[in-house]
Amino acid sequence: MKTIVSSFALVSIMFLWPVQIPLGPAKLPIYLFFTPVLIVFSGIKYRQVIFSITLLILLAAILILQIITQNIVLASSVKVIFGILVFSSMVPTISQWFQNTRLDDNKKLIYFLKLFMYVQILLMMVQLVADYIGFIHIDFLHWVQISSVKRAPGFFNEPSHIAIGMSPYYFLAINHFKAFKKQIGKMPFIALGIILILCPSTTLVLVI
């Protein structure tokens, strides 16, 4: 159960980070709810705490420097501060979780990695059909201008977000080809190609 919950939480952060949940007058990113799950199930290590504090200081310094030098006015200081705190804990937590988990031993992680990728393709196709029949409107025109073909982002808000959320897939598939093929299979290669064709972006090309 512990492996299932932590695997689902990790992959959810990768795919659902743009999603925001209305909570009163504010909207909170969904990763705020999944990050504590990772922290609880991965455990808190000394190096992880040091990493979090270091990252927190670095991000705070960058923010202060930008405010001073660029005269930036924050729309919501509370949200920005809260975002920095969460990000400072999320990155080290994910890193720690990866160090404690090997693909060889974690079938559940592989399962969710493949499941979310296939659902991403399904959502993209559904969105394209819905746009074609006029049920929804997609603003992102495809690079190939044939019959006003659109780019459907699936889980994400826009095409460039796919590059951010799915960058681990493309990184592993390209830089660790044999391991990716052995652990995750051949079909994910085809799936990654389909996603690239359906929704290309400059950011995704740069990531690859």
Side-chain angles (χ1 to χ4, degrees):
M1 187 64 183
K2 176 180 178 180
T3 301
I4 295 176
V5 174
S6 56
S7 297
F8 179 79
L10 176 60
V11 182
S12 295
I13 290 175
M14 294 168 58
F15 278 89
L16 304 180
W17 61 267
V19 178
Q20 294 188 335
I21 299 177
L23 193 63
K27 290 184 178 181
L28 300 179
I30 198 168
Y31 62 76
L32 296 184
F33 301 94
F34 288 117
T35 300
V37 175
L38 282 179
I39 294 176
V40 170
F41 284 103
S42 66
I44 300 178
K45 308 295 182 181
Y46 174 75
R47 292 177 60 182
Q48 182 181 348
V49 174
I50 297 300
F51 188 5
S52 295
I53 294 174
T54 303
L55 187 59
L56 174 62
I57 294 173
L58 177 62
L59 292 175
I62 293 174
L63 176 63
I64 294 173
L65 183 63
Q66 287 183 323
I67 292 176
I68 294 175
T69 59
Q70 301 178 19
N71 295 321
I72 296 176
V73 178
L74 301 179
S76 175
S77 301
V78 175
K79 280 188 177 181
V80 172
I81 294 172
F82 195 55
I84 289 177
L85 289 172
V86 171
F87 189 79
S88 299
S89 63
M90 182 179 69
V91 174
T93 300
I94 293 177
S95 175
Q96 178 67 34
W97 196 88
F98 267 119
Q99 291 175 14
N100 293 340
T101 307
R102 296 186 305 170
L103 283 178
D104 293 323
D105 302 326
N106 200 332
K107 302 299 182 182
K108 296 302 180 183
L109 175 59
I110 296 175
Y111 171 79
F112 284 117
L113 285 171
K114 295 168 70 172
L115 176 64
F116 271 76
M117 179 168 52
Y118 294 146
V119 174
Q120 166 69 13
I121 294 177
L122 179 61
L123 282 176
M124 294 170 77
M125 292 182 174
V126 170
Q127 288 172 349
L128 288 174
V129 173
D131 176 78
Y132 180 77
I133 64 177
F135 187 73
I136 64 171
H137 177 71
I138 299 177
D139 295 322
F140 313 108
L141 291 174
H142 201 282
W143 288 358
V144 180
Q145 296 299 309
I146 301 177
S147 301
S148 299
V149 177
K150 304 292 184 65
R151 292 179 294 164
F155 279 113
F156 304 92
N157 294 333
E158 59 178 82
S160 62
H161 288 179
I162 293 179
I164 300 173
M166 300 198 65
S167 57
Y169 286 86
Y170 288 98
F171 176 82
L172 291 173
I174 295 173
N175 294 281
H176 302 282
F177 176 83
K178 292 183 179 179
F180 188 89
K181 181 179 178 182
K182 177 182 178 182
Q183 301 297 334
I184 303 184
K186 298 179 181 179
M187 282 300 297
F189 282 104
I190 300 175
L192 290 175
I194 292 174
I195 292 173
L196 177 60
I197 293 172
L198 289 179
C199 195
S201 68
T202 303
T203 308
L204 182 55
V205 172
L206 291 174
V207 166
I208 296 175

